[in-house]
Amino acid sequence: MFVVIVKSAVNNIPSSYLDKIRAIYPNISFDHLDLNQDGMVNDVVVVNHQLVCRFAKEDWGKQVLSHEAKVLEVVQRYIDLPIPRFEHLEEAFVTYRYLKGEPLSRNTLLKLSKTAQTRIISQLATFHRQLHSIPTEVLAQAGVSFSDAVRSREDWLQLYDDVQETLFPHLWRHQQTWIHELFRPVVSGELDLSYTPVLIHGDLPVYHILFNPESQSISGIIDFGVAGLGDPACDIATQLGNYGENIVQLMESDYPMLRDVINRARFWVGTLELQWSLIGVKYNDVSLSLAHIGWAREVQPVGTVFNPKNC
């Protein structure tokens, strides 16, 4: 059999990865290969825009793949939108069929017609409602554990201390004031951080929400590696960062629990940039410090009256 290989791509892909793919798919041809090593858990090889092959980078990544398989087995029974369906799974290697689409950025969404925007916001809200409504007994039977994204009040207070110690020497006074104001409702106890655990995605930035330009709709949700039991405000916080509060408030008609989580989400989204910046400074990794460039900044302070009619 004559095999056509994209030479420049192959030169960047470890031979062990290609050998593993060939072992599982002996008749596969490497007409086009894409390598993505940006993730913290996996290296990803996409073959011919048809097959996604993920390789765990570290031993702990193997556990992530195993847990993600449990999550996806449950989620696919409750979610309307396409999600990955693992075709082959072993300790450090998994494959599934490629889901076509491009990242659903805020700019992409805002450039669409009002009709298309409404459709997409409804899809996004429905996904969150379906995910957060999966019965806990079903999750328990499947062995789904808590998400790594879970944070307690003590965790937030520790973050506040760490930010002041590590980041404040690099920040201007108005930035320090903003951080004090962000954490004040948590320090004072004004913000109620209690919640009933539900299944959350835990890591849903724009590049995990796939958009089909032809149908002008969401074509899939990917990467459930951080999914598990947790606070639904975590997922809504990410959407605040992705699209801003004016758009998120429009999710309420299809996600009726929005009012219950919005204040925790407002606080949570404010911490995300701080968390990444803190890690970046500690480990001298500029890319981590810059991870949230391009996020929406249009988020109301904790306690602001929720009124989507004003959006």
PDB file of all heavy atoms in Angstrom, residues 123-158:
ATOM      1  N   GLN A 123     -28.531  26.865  22.358  1.00  0.00           N
ATOM      2  CA  GLN A 123     -27.777  25.613  22.359  1.00  0.00           C
ATOM      3  C   GLN A 123     -26.835  25.542  23.557  1.00  0.00           C
ATOM      4  O   GLN A 123     -26.732  24.504  24.231  1.00  0.00           O
ATOM      5  CB  GLN A 123     -26.955  25.490  21.074  1.00  0.00           C
ATOM      6  CG  GLN A 123     -27.727  25.114  19.832  1.00  0.00           C
ATOM      7  CD  GLN A 123     -26.776  24.897  18.659  1.00  0.00           C
ATOM      8  OE1 GLN A 123     -26.125  25.836  18.187  1.00  0.00           O
ATOM      9  NE2 GLN A 123     -26.681  23.674  18.193  1.00  0.00           N
ATOM     10  N   LEU A 124     -26.135  26.632  23.804  1.00  0.00           N
ATOM     11  CA  LEU A 124     -25.173  26.677  24.899  1.00  0.00           C
ATOM     12  C   LEU A 124     -25.878  26.516  26.239  1.00  0.00           C
ATOM     13  O   LEU A 124     -25.421  25.762  27.119  1.00  0.00           O
ATOM     14  CB  LEU A 124     -24.412  28.008  24.845  1.00  0.00           C
ATOM     15  CG  LEU A 124     -23.147  28.140  25.680  1.00  0.00           C
ATOM     16  CD1 LEU A 124     -22.112  27.118  25.247  1.00  0.00           C
ATOM     17  CD2 LEU A 124     -22.573  29.548  25.548  1.00  0.00           C
ATOM     18  N   ALA A 125     -27.000  27.212  26.402  1.00  0.00           N
ATOM     19  CA  ALA A 125     -27.754  27.132  27.656  1.00  0.00           C
ATOM     20  C   ALA A 125     -28.333  25.737  27.859  1.00  0.00           C
ATOM     21  O   ALA A 125     -28.290  25.189  28.976  1.00  0.00           O
ATOM     22  CB  ALA A 125     -28.861  28.177  27.655  1.00  0.00           C
ATOM     23  N   THR A 126     -28.864  25.157  26.794  1.00  0.00           N
ATOM     24  CA  THR A 126     -29.449  23.818  26.882  1.00  0.00           C
ATOM     25  C   THR A 126     -28.397  22.789  27.242  1.00  0.00           C
ATOM     26  O   THR A 126     -28.650  21.877  28.052  1.00  0.00           O
ATOM     27  CB  THR A 126     -30.128  23.442  25.555  1.00  0.00           C
ATOM     28  OG1 THR A 126     -31.168  24.377  25.272  1.00  0.00           O
ATOM     29  CG2 THR A 126     -30.711  22.039  25.613  1.00  0.00           C
ATOM     30  N   PHE A 127     -27.205  22.926  26.665  1.00  0.00           N
ATOM     31  CA  PHE A 127     -26.113  22.018  27.023  1.00  0.00           C
ATOM     32  C   PHE A 127     -25.829  22.077  28.524  1.00  0.00           C
ATOM     33  O   PHE A 127     -25.713  21.041  29.190  1.00  0.00           O
ATOM     34  CB  PHE A 127     -24.840  22.364  26.242  1.00  0.00           C
ATOM     35  CG  PHE A 127     -23.608  21.688  26.785  1.00  0.00           C
ATOM     36  CD1 PHE A 127     -23.358  20.355  26.490  1.00  0.00           C
ATOM     37  CD2 PHE A 127     -22.724  22.371  27.610  1.00  0.00           C
ATOM     38  CE1 PHE A 127     -22.229  19.711  27.008  1.00  0.00           C
ATOM     39  CE2 PHE A 127     -21.594  21.745  28.130  1.00  0.00           C
ATOM     40  CZ  PHE A 127     -21.355  20.407  27.825  1.00  0.00           C
ATOM     41  N   HIS A 128     -25.722  23.275  29.066  1.00  0.00           N
ATOM     42  CA  HIS A 128     -25.437  23.408  30.489  1.00  0.00           C
ATOM     43  C   HIS A 128     -26.579  22.847  31.341  1.00  0.00           C
ATOM     44  O   HIS A 128     -26.340  22.197  32.366  1.00  0.00           O
ATOM     45  CB  HIS A 128     -25.174  24.874  30.843  1.00  0.00           C
ATOM     46  CG  HIS A 128     -23.813  25.350  30.440  1.00  0.00           C
ATOM     47  ND1 HIS A 128     -23.509  25.764  29.163  1.00  0.00           N
ATOM     48  CD2 HIS A 128     -22.659  25.474  31.151  1.00  0.00           C
ATOM     49  CE1 HIS A 128     -22.241  26.118  29.111  1.00  0.00           C
ATOM     50  NE2 HIS A 128     -21.700  25.953  30.293  1.00  0.00           N
ATOM     51  N   ARG A 129     -27.825  23.107  30.930  1.00  0.00           N
ATOM     52  CA  ARG A 129     -28.958  22.584  31.694  1.00  0.00           C
ATOM     53  C   ARG A 129     -28.952  21.059  31.678  1.00  0.00           C
ATOM     54  O   ARG A 129     -29.126  20.410  32.724  1.00  0.00           O
ATOM     55  CB  ARG A 129     -30.278  23.094  31.106  1.00  0.00           C
ATOM     56  CG  ARG A 129     -31.499  22.705  31.952  1.00  0.00           C
ATOM     57  CD  ARG A 129     -32.809  22.985  31.262  1.00  0.00           C
ATOM     58  NE  ARG A 129     -33.099  22.028  30.207  1.00  0.00           N
ATOM     59  CZ  ARG A 129     -33.208  22.319  28.923  1.00  0.00           C
ATOM     60  NH1 ARG A 129     -33.044  23.577  28.508  1.00  0.00           N
ATOM     61  NH2 ARG A 129     -33.467  21.383  28.041  1.00  0.00           N
ATOM     62  N   GLN A 130     -28.732  20.461  30.523  1.00  0.00           N
ATOM     63  CA  GLN A 130     -28.728  19.007  30.424  1.00  0.00           C
ATOM     64  C   GLN A 130     -27.578  18.399  31.218  1.00  0.00           C
ATOM     65  O   GLN A 130     -27.755  17.395  31.924  1.00  0.00           O
ATOM     66  CB  GLN A 130     -28.645  18.592  28.954  1.00  0.00           C
ATOM     67  CG  GLN A 130     -29.898  18.933  28.158  1.00  0.00           C
ATOM     68  CD  GLN A 130     -29.746  18.637  26.676  1.00  0.00           C
ATOM     69  OE1 GLN A 130     -28.627  18.567  26.143  1.00  0.00           O
ATOM     70  NE2 GLN A 130     -30.863  18.471  25.988  1.00  0.00           N
ATOM     71  N   LEU A 131     -26.400  19.014  31.124  1.00  0.00           N
ATOM     72  CA  LEU A 131     -25.232  18.494  31.837  1.00  0.00           C
ATOM     73  C   LEU A 131     -25.433  18.590  33.344  1.00  0.00           C
ATOM     74  O   LEU A 131     -25.187  17.628  34.085  1.00  0.00           O
ATOM     75  CB  LEU A 131     -23.984  19.285  31.423  1.00  0.00           C
ATOM     76  CG  LEU A 131     -22.653  18.781  31.993  1.00  0.00           C
ATOM     77  CD1 LEU A 131     -22.273  17.463  31.332  1.00  0.00           C
ATOM     78  CD2 LEU A 131     -21.550  19.810  31.796  1.00  0.00           C
ATOM     79  N   HIS A 132     -25.890  19.743  33.806  1.00  0.00           N
ATOM     80  CA  HIS A 132     -26.023  19.982  35.244  1.00  0.00           C
ATOM     81  C   HIS A 132     -27.229  19.279  35.851  1.00  0.00           C
ATOM     82  O   HIS A 132     -27.386  19.283  37.075  1.00  0.00           O
ATOM     83  CB  HIS A 132     -26.104  21.483  35.506  1.00  0.00           C
ATOM     84  CG  HIS A 132     -24.863  22.226  35.148  1.00  0.00           C
ATOM     85  ND1 HIS A 132     -24.810  23.605  35.081  1.00  0.00           N
ATOM     86  CD2 HIS A 132     -23.611  21.792  34.819  1.00  0.00           C
ATOM     87  CE1 HIS A 132     -23.585  23.985  34.741  1.00  0.00           C
ATOM     88  NE2 HIS A 132     -22.845  22.903  34.566  1.00  0.00           N
ATOM     89  N   SER A 133     -28.073  18.669  35.010  1.00  0.00           N
ATOM     90  CA  SER A 133     -29.275  18.003  35.498  1.00  0.00           C
ATOM     91  C   SER A 133     -29.170  16.481  35.487  1.00  0.00           C
ATOM     92  O   SER A 133     -30.137  15.786  35.826  1.00  0.00           O
ATOM     93  CB  SER A 133     -30.492  18.426  34.657  1.00  0.00           C
ATOM     94  OG  SER A 133     -30.696  19.823  34.713  1.00  0.00           O
ATOM     95  N   ILE A 134     -28.028  15.937  35.108  1.00  0.00           N
ATOM     96  CA  ILE A 134     -27.862  14.483  35.099  1.00  0.00           C
ATOM     97  C   ILE A 134     -28.011  13.970  36.527  1.00  0.00           C
ATOM     98  O   ILE A 134     -27.374  14.483  37.446  1.00  0.00           O
ATOM     99  CB  ILE A 134     -26.495  14.089  34.517  1.00  0.00           C
ATOM    100  CG1 ILE A 134     -26.424  14.495  33.038  1.00  0.00           C
ATOM    101  CG2 ILE A 134     -26.261  12.585  34.655  1.00  0.00           C
ATOM    102  CD1 ILE A 134     -25.076  14.240  32.394  1.00  0.00           C
ATOM    103  N   PRO A 135     -28.863  12.967  36.762  1.00  0.00           N
ATOM    104  CA  PRO A 135     -29.113  12.482  38.126  1.00  0.00           C
ATOM    105  C   PRO A 135     -27.838  12.046  38.839  1.00  0.00           C
ATOM    106  O   PRO A 135     -26.991  11.356  38.253  1.00  0.00           O
ATOM    107  CB  PRO A 135     -30.064  11.290  37.904  1.00  0.00           C
ATOM    108  CG  PRO A 135     -30.724  11.576  36.588  1.00  0.00           C
ATOM    109  CD  PRO A 135     -29.682  12.256  35.759  1.00  0.00           C
ATOM    110  N   THR A 136     -27.707  12.451  40.087  1.00  0.00           N
ATOM    111  CA  THR A 136     -26.502  12.123  40.860  1.00  0.00           C
ATOM    112  C   THR A 136     -26.343  10.628  41.061  1.00  0.00           C
ATOM    113  O   THR A 136     -25.218  10.121  41.126  1.00  0.00           O
ATOM    114  CB  THR A 136     -26.528  12.831  42.218  1.00  0.00           C
ATOM    115  OG1 THR A 136     -27.771  12.518  42.884  1.00  0.00           O
ATOM    116  CG2 THR A 136     -26.439  14.340  42.054  1.00  0.00           C
ATOM    117  N   GLU A 137     -27.479   9.900  41.145  1.00  0.00           N
ATOM    118  CA  GLU A 137     -27.374   8.455  41.340  1.00  0.00           C
ATOM    119  C   GLU A 137     -26.775   7.778  40.111  1.00  0.00           C
ATOM    120  O   GLU A 137     -26.045   6.775  40.229  1.00  0.00           O
ATOM    121  CB  GLU A 137     -28.729   7.836  41.676  1.00  0.00           C
ATOM    122  CG  GLU A 137     -29.829   8.046  40.642  1.00  0.00           C
ATOM    123  CD  GLU A 137     -30.636   9.305  40.867  1.00  0.00           C
ATOM    124  OE1 GLU A 137     -30.128  10.229  41.546  1.00  0.00           O
ATOM    125  OE2 GLU A 137     -31.783   9.370  40.367  1.00  0.00           O
ATOM    126  N   VAL A 138     -27.059   8.325  38.929  1.00  0.00           N
ATOM    127  CA  VAL A 138     -26.469   7.795  37.699  1.00  0.00           C
ATOM    128  C   VAL A 138     -24.962   8.027  37.695  1.00  0.00           C
ATOM    129  O   VAL A 138     -24.176   7.143  37.334  1.00  0.00           O
ATOM    130  CB  VAL A 138     -27.115   8.454  36.461  1.00  0.00           C
ATOM    131  CG1 VAL A 138     -26.384   8.048  35.183  1.00  0.00           C
ATOM    132  CG2 VAL A 138     -28.587   8.084  36.374  1.00  0.00           C
ATOM    133  N   LEU A 139     -24.553   9.211  38.117  1.00  0.00           N
ATOM    134  CA  LEU A 139     -23.129   9.534  38.175  1.00  0.00           C
ATOM    135  C   LEU A 139     -22.409   8.662  39.190  1.00  0.00           C
ATOM    136  O   LEU A 139     -21.286   8.195  38.953  1.00  0.00           O
ATOM    137  CB  LEU A 139     -22.952  11.020  38.529  1.00  0.00           C
ATOM    138  CG  LEU A 139     -23.562  12.011  37.533  1.00  0.00           C
ATOM    139  CD1 LEU A 139     -23.532  13.422  38.093  1.00  0.00           C
ATOM    140  CD2 LEU A 139     -22.821  11.954  36.206  1.00  0.00           C
ATOM    141  N   ALA A 140     -23.047   8.424  40.332  1.00  0.00           N
ATOM    142  CA  ALA A 140     -22.444   7.591  41.365  1.00  0.00           C
ATOM    143  C   ALA A 140     -22.270   6.158  40.867  1.00  0.00           C
ATOM    144  O   ALA A 140     -21.218   5.524  41.088  1.00  0.00           O
ATOM    145  CB  ALA A 140     -23.304   7.619  42.628  1.00  0.00           C
ATOM    146  N   GLN A 141     -23.279   5.635  40.187  1.00  0.00           N
ATOM    147  CA  GLN A 141     -23.198   4.274  39.658  1.00  0.00           C
ATOM    148  C   GLN A 141     -22.079   4.133  38.629  1.00  0.00           C
ATOM    149  O   GLN A 141     -21.457   3.081  38.513  1.00  0.00           O
ATOM    150  CB  GLN A 141     -24.539   3.878  39.037  1.00  0.00           C
ATOM    151  CG  GLN A 141     -25.664   3.698  40.053  1.00  0.00           C
ATOM    152  CD  GLN A 141     -27.019   3.503  39.390  1.00  0.00           C
ATOM    153  OE1 GLN A 141     -27.128   3.462  38.154  1.00  0.00           O
ATOM    154  NE2 GLN A 141     -28.058   3.390  40.192  1.00  0.00           N
ATOM    155  N   ALA A 142     -21.814   5.220  37.899  1.00  0.00           N
ATOM    156  CA  ALA A 142     -20.769   5.195  36.870  1.00  0.00           C
ATOM    157  C   ALA A 142     -19.381   5.429  37.455  1.00  0.00           C
ATOM    158  O   ALA A 142     -18.386   5.327  36.732  1.00  0.00           O
ATOM    159  CB  ALA A 142     -21.069   6.234  35.805  1.00  0.00           C
ATOM    160  N   GLY A 143     -19.321   5.762  38.739  1.00  0.00           N
ATOM    161  CA  GLY A 143     -18.022   6.006  39.368  1.00  0.00           C
ATOM    162  C   GLY A 143     -17.427   7.358  39.048  1.00  0.00           C
ATOM    163  O   GLY A 143     -16.203   7.536  39.106  1.00  0.00           O
ATOM    164  N   VAL A 144     -18.287   8.343  38.717  1.00  0.00           N
ATOM    165  CA  VAL A 144     -17.808   9.690  38.418  1.00  0.00           C
ATOM    166  C   VAL A 144     -17.482  10.404  39.723  1.00  0.00           C
ATOM    167  O   VAL A 144     -18.338  10.514  40.603  1.00  0.00           O
ATOM    168  CB  VAL A 144     -18.867  10.490  37.630  1.00  0.00           C
ATOM    169  CG1 VAL A 144     -18.409  11.932  37.431  1.00  0.00           C
ATOM    170  CG2 VAL A 144     -19.124   9.822  36.278  1.00  0.00           C
ATOM    171  N   SER A 145     -16.269  10.902  39.844  1.00  0.00           N
ATOM    172  CA  SER A 145     -15.810  11.555  41.067  1.00  0.00           C
ATOM    173  C   SER A 145     -15.829  13.068  40.902  1.00  0.00           C
ATOM    174  O   SER A 145     -16.294  13.594  39.891  1.00  0.00           O
ATOM    175  CB  SER A 145     -14.400  11.084  41.422  1.00  0.00           C
ATOM    176  OG  SER A 145     -13.499  11.353  40.357  1.00  0.00           O
ATOM    177  N   PHE A 146     -15.301  13.777  41.886  1.00  0.00           N
ATOM    178  CA  PHE A 146     -15.311  15.234  41.850  1.00  0.00           C
ATOM    179  C   PHE A 146     -14.310  15.766  40.828  1.00  0.00           C
ATOM    180  O   PHE A 146     -13.253  15.185  40.595  1.00  0.00           O
ATOM    181  CB  PHE A 146     -15.009  15.810  43.233  1.00  0.00           C
ATOM    182  CG  PHE A 146     -16.220  15.908  44.119  1.00  0.00           C
ATOM    183  CD1 PHE A 146     -16.640  14.820  44.868  1.00  0.00           C
ATOM    184  CD2 PHE A 146     -16.965  17.078  44.184  1.00  0.00           C
ATOM    185  CE1 PHE A 146     -17.769  14.887  45.676  1.00  0.00           C
ATOM    186  CE2 PHE A 146     -18.093  17.163  44.983  1.00  0.00           C
ATOM    187  CZ  PHE A 146     -18.498  16.069  45.732  1.00  0.00           C
ATOM    188  N   SER A 147     -14.661  16.899  40.245  1.00  0.00           N
ATOM    189  CA  SER A 147     -13.804  17.570  39.276  1.00  0.00           C
ATOM    190  C   SER A 147     -12.606  18.200  39.971  1.00  0.00           C
ATOM    191  O   SER A 147     -12.698  18.651  41.116  1.00  0.00           O
ATOM    192  CB  SER A 147     -14.602  18.655  38.547  1.00  0.00           C
ATOM    193  OG  SER A 147     -13.753  19.519  37.836  1.00  0.00           O
ATOM    194  N   ASP A 148     -11.492  18.258  39.259  1.00  0.00           N
ATOM    195  CA  ASP A 148     -10.306  18.956  39.778  1.00  0.00           C
ATOM    196  C   ASP A 148     -10.526  20.464  39.847  1.00  0.00           C
ATOM    197  O   ASP A 148      -9.722  21.185  40.433  1.00  0.00           O
ATOM    198  CB  ASP A 148      -9.085  18.660  38.897  1.00  0.00           C
ATOM    199  CG  ASP A 148      -8.564  17.249  39.083  1.00  0.00           C
ATOM    200  OD1 ASP A 148      -8.870  16.634  40.123  1.00  0.00           O
ATOM    201  OD2 ASP A 148      -7.869  16.739  38.180  1.00  0.00           O
ATOM    202  N   ALA A 149     -11.606  20.935  39.237  1.00  0.00           N
ATOM    203  CA  ALA A 149     -11.903  22.372  39.257  1.00  0.00           C
ATOM    204  C   ALA A 149     -12.580  22.810  40.551  1.00  0.00           C
ATOM    205  O   ALA A 149     -12.768  24.006  40.773  1.00  0.00           O
ATOM    206  CB  ALA A 149     -12.806  22.735  38.072  1.00  0.00           C
ATOM    207  N   VAL A 150     -12.939  21.872  41.416  1.00  0.00           N
ATOM    208  CA  VAL A 150     -13.645  22.208  42.655  1.00  0.00           C
ATOM    209  C   VAL A 150     -12.758  23.068  43.555  1.00  0.00           C
ATOM    210  O   VAL A 150     -11.570  22.799  43.724  1.00  0.00           O
ATOM    211  CB  VAL A 150     -14.068  20.924  43.397  1.00  0.00           C
ATOM    212  CG1 VAL A 150     -14.529  21.239  44.814  1.00  0.00           C
ATOM    213  CG2 VAL A 150     -15.179  20.218  42.634  1.00  0.00           C
ATOM    214  N   ARG A 151     -13.356  24.125  44.144  1.00  0.00           N
ATOM    215  CA  ARG A 151     -12.643  24.997  45.079  1.00  0.00           C
ATOM    216  C   ARG A 151     -13.524  25.253  46.305  1.00  0.00           C
ATOM    217  O   ARG A 151     -14.721  25.519  46.169  1.00  0.00           O
ATOM    218  CB  ARG A 151     -12.304  26.350  44.421  1.00  0.00           C
ATOM    219  CG  ARG A 151     -11.378  26.266  43.218  1.00  0.00           C
ATOM    220  CD  ARG A 151      -9.967  25.870  43.599  1.00  0.00           C
ATOM    221  NE  ARG A 151      -9.072  25.903  42.437  1.00  0.00           N
ATOM    222  CZ  ARG A 151      -8.883  24.886  41.608  1.00  0.00           C
ATOM    223  NH1 ARG A 151      -9.545  23.739  41.798  1.00  0.00           N
ATOM    224  NH2 ARG A 151      -8.061  24.983  40.583  1.00  0.00           N
ATOM    225  N   SER A 152     -12.929  25.193  47.483  1.00  0.00           N
ATOM    226  CA  SER A 152     -13.628  25.498  48.728  1.00  0.00           C
ATOM    227  C   SER A 152     -13.355  26.950  49.124  1.00  0.00           C
ATOM    228  O   SER A 152     -12.492  27.618  48.529  1.00  0.00           O
ATOM    229  CB  SER A 152     -13.149  24.564  49.842  1.00  0.00           C
ATOM    230  OG  SER A 152     -11.774  24.828  50.135  1.00  0.00           O
ATOM    231  N   ARG A 153     -14.067  27.428  50.127  1.00  0.00           N
ATOM    232  CA  ARG A 153     -13.817  28.788  50.617  1.00  0.00           C
ATOM    233  C   ARG A 153     -12.369  28.916  51.093  1.00  0.00           C
ATOM    234  O   ARG A 153     -11.708  29.934  50.865  1.00  0.00           O
ATOM    235  CB  ARG A 153     -14.774  29.135  51.763  1.00  0.00           C
ATOM    236  CG  ARG A 153     -14.581  30.554  52.318  1.00  0.00           C
ATOM    237  CD  ARG A 153     -15.659  30.912  53.331  1.00  0.00           C
ATOM    238  NE  ARG A 153     -15.532  32.304  53.769  1.00  0.00           N
ATOM    239  CZ  ARG A 153     -14.786  32.682  54.794  1.00  0.00           C
ATOM    240  NH1 ARG A 153     -14.102  31.776  55.498  1.00  0.00           N
ATOM    241  NH2 ARG A 153     -14.704  33.968  55.118  1.00  0.00           N
ATOM    242  N   GLU A 154     -11.874  27.874  51.732  1.00  0.00           N
ATOM    243  CA  GLU A 154     -10.480  27.889  52.198  1.00  0.00           C
ATOM    244  C   GLU A 154      -9.519  27.989  51.010  1.00  0.00           C
ATOM    245  O   GLU A 154      -8.484  28.666  51.103  1.00  0.00           O
ATOM    246  CB  GLU A 154     -10.182  26.618  53.017  1.00  0.00           C
ATOM    247  CG  GLU A 154     -10.873  26.556  54.371  1.00  0.00           C
ATOM    248  CD  GLU A 154     -12.381  26.374  54.271  1.00  0.00           C
ATOM    249  OE1 GLU A 154     -12.840  25.775  53.262  1.00  0.00           O
ATOM    250  OE2 GLU A 154     -13.097  26.838  55.175  1.00  0.00           O
ATOM    251  N   ASP A 155      -9.842  27.315  49.918  1.00  0.00           N
ATOM    252  CA  ASP A 155      -9.004  27.412  48.717  1.00  0.00           C
ATOM    253  C   ASP A 155      -8.979  28.842  48.186  1.00  0.00           C
ATOM    254  O   ASP A 155      -7.923  29.349  47.790  1.00  0.00           O
ATOM    255  CB  ASP A 155      -9.537  26.482  47.616  1.00  0.00           C
ATOM    256  CG  ASP A 155      -9.366  25.013  47.952  1.00  0.00           C
ATOM    257  OD1 ASP A 155      -8.405  24.674  48.655  1.00  0.00           O
ATOM    258  OD2 ASP A 155     -10.221  24.216  47.511  1.00  0.00           O
ATOM    259  N   TRP A 156     -10.150  29.507  48.180  1.00  0.00           N
ATOM    260  CA  TRP A 156     -10.208  30.879  47.681  1.00  0.00           C
ATOM    261  C   TRP A 156      -9.422  31.825  48.575  1.00  0.00           C
ATOM    262  O   TRP A 156      -8.712  32.716  48.075  1.00  0.00           O
ATOM    263  CB  TRP A 156     -11.657  31.350  47.583  1.00  0.00           C
ATOM    264  CG  TRP A 156     -12.486  30.651  46.540  1.00  0.00           C
ATOM    265  CD1 TRP A 156     -13.702  30.068  46.726  1.00  0.00           C
ATOM    266  CD2 TRP A 156     -12.174  30.480  45.149  1.00  0.00           C
ATOM    267  NE1 TRP A 156     -14.173  29.533  45.543  1.00  0.00           N
ATOM    268  CE2 TRP A 156     -13.253  29.781  44.554  1.00  0.00           C
ATOM    269  CE3 TRP A 156     -11.094  30.840  44.348  1.00  0.00           C
ATOM    270  CZ2 TRP A 156     -13.283  29.444  43.208  1.00  0.00           C
ATOM    271  CZ3 TRP A 156     -11.117  30.506  43.005  1.00  0.00           C
ATOM    272  CH2 TRP A 156     -12.191  29.818  42.440  1.00  0.00           C
ATOM    273  N   LEU A 157      -9.524  31.634  49.888  1.00  0.00           N
ATOM    274  CA  LEU A 157      -8.783  32.495  50.806  1.00  0.00           C
ATOM    275  C   LEU A 157      -7.279  32.277  50.660  1.00  0.00           C
ATOM    276  O   LEU A 157      -6.495  33.233  50.758  1.00  0.00           O
ATOM    277  CB  LEU A 157      -9.227  32.236  52.246  1.00  0.00           C
ATOM    278  CG  LEU A 157     -10.670  32.628  52.563  1.00  0.00           C
ATOM    279  CD1 LEU A 157     -11.020  32.246  54.006  1.00  0.00           C
ATOM    280  CD2 LEU A 157     -10.892  34.122  52.333  1.00  0.00           C
ATOM    281  N   GLN A 158      -6.889  31.029  50.407  1.00  0.00           N
ATOM    282  CA  GLN A 158      -5.475  30.757  50.177  1.00  0.00           C
ATOM    283  C   GLN A 158      -5.002  31.401  48.889  1.00  0.00           C
ATOM    284  O   GLN A 158      -3.883  31.944  48.813  1.00  0.00           O
ATOM    285  CB  GLN A 158      -5.231  29.248  50.135  1.00  0.00           C
ATOM    286  CG  GLN A 158      -3.760  28.852  49.999  1.00  0.00           C
ATOM    287  CD  GLN A 158      -2.929  29.343  51.161  1.00  0.00           C
ATOM    288  OE1 GLN A 158      -3.209  29.016  52.320  1.00  0.00           O
ATOM    289  NE2 GLN A 158      -1.888  30.132  50.879  1.00  0.00           N
TER     290      GLN A 158
END
